[in-house]
């Protein structure tokens, strides 16, 4: 509640505003060199996929060029991308992982 110079009482009702965070897709990109088994391992290790889920996603990327690993808030998605890129570089594979706003 407020009381301005004119003496008018202004009542401002506030609604508790819980804004949902923007969500981001983490994507794997196909290339000609990264071994299929390595991609499956990445999906199991960093995206908590089962072996069957991981194989399905890997084959989707292999055939379509791009595929979704998961959907996360900004900071989590950014962390996943960094983890995958660091792991791929460490093993000298050209695997690319990116994020995009949903
Ligand atoms: N195309 C790769 C091969 O034939 C396999 C692969 C799948 C690479 C998915 C990257 O994100 C990828 N060995």
């Amino acid at each position: 509640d407020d009381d301005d110079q004119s003496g008018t009482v202004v009542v401002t009702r506030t609604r508790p505003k819980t804004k949902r965070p923007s969500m981001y897709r983490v994507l794997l990109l196909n290339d000609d060199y990264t071994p299929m088994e390595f991609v499956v391992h990445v999906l199991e290790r960093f995206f908590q996929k089962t072996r069957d889920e991981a194989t399905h996603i890997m084959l989707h990327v292999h055939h379509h060029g791009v595929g979704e690993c998961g959907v996360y808030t900004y900071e989590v998605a950014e962390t996943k991308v960094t983890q995958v890129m660091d792991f791929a570089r460490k093993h000298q594979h050209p695997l690319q992982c990116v994020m995009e706003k949903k």
Side-chain angles (χ1 to χ4, degrees):
D1 297 13
D2 190 10
D3 200 336
D4 70 16
Q5 288 303 82
S6 73
T8 306
V9 175
V10 180
V11 178
T12 307
R13 288 200 173 71
T14 55
R15 152 168 64 107
K17 199 156 185 183
T18 53
K19 23 197 267 281
R20 289 165 300 122
S22 300
M23 301 303 281
Y24 294 78
R25 280 187 202 97
V26 174
L27 306 172
L28 277 180
L29 308 185
N30 190 37
D31 66 72
D32 292 339
Y33 305 103
T34 305
M36 291 185 173
E37 181 52 46
F38 184 83
V39 179
V40 170
H41 179 67
V42 162
L43 288 159
E44 292 177 316
R45 178 171 175 146
F46 297 111
F47 299 95
Q48 283 71 51
K49 302 301 183 187
T50 64
R51 187 134 197 106
D52 283 0
E53 288 169 342
T55 301
H56 185 89
I57 294 167
M58 182 280 295
L59 286 174
H60 176 95
V61 176
H62 178 68
H63 287 117
H64 296 92
V66 60
E68 185 178 295
C69 309
V71 178
Y72 308 95
T73 55
Y74 186 89
E75 285 201 53
V76 174
E78 201 184 36
T79 299
K80 302 274 183 201
V81 169
T82 300
Q83 287 174 333
V84 172
M85 294 301 285
D86 288 353
F87 192 63
R89 189 175 309 112
K90 176 170 129 178
H91 292 271
Q92 301 194 331
H93 295 311
L95 181 64
Q96 295 291 307
C97 184
V98 300
M99 59 192 274
E100 67 168 32
K101 200 163 193 276
K102 266 196 91 178

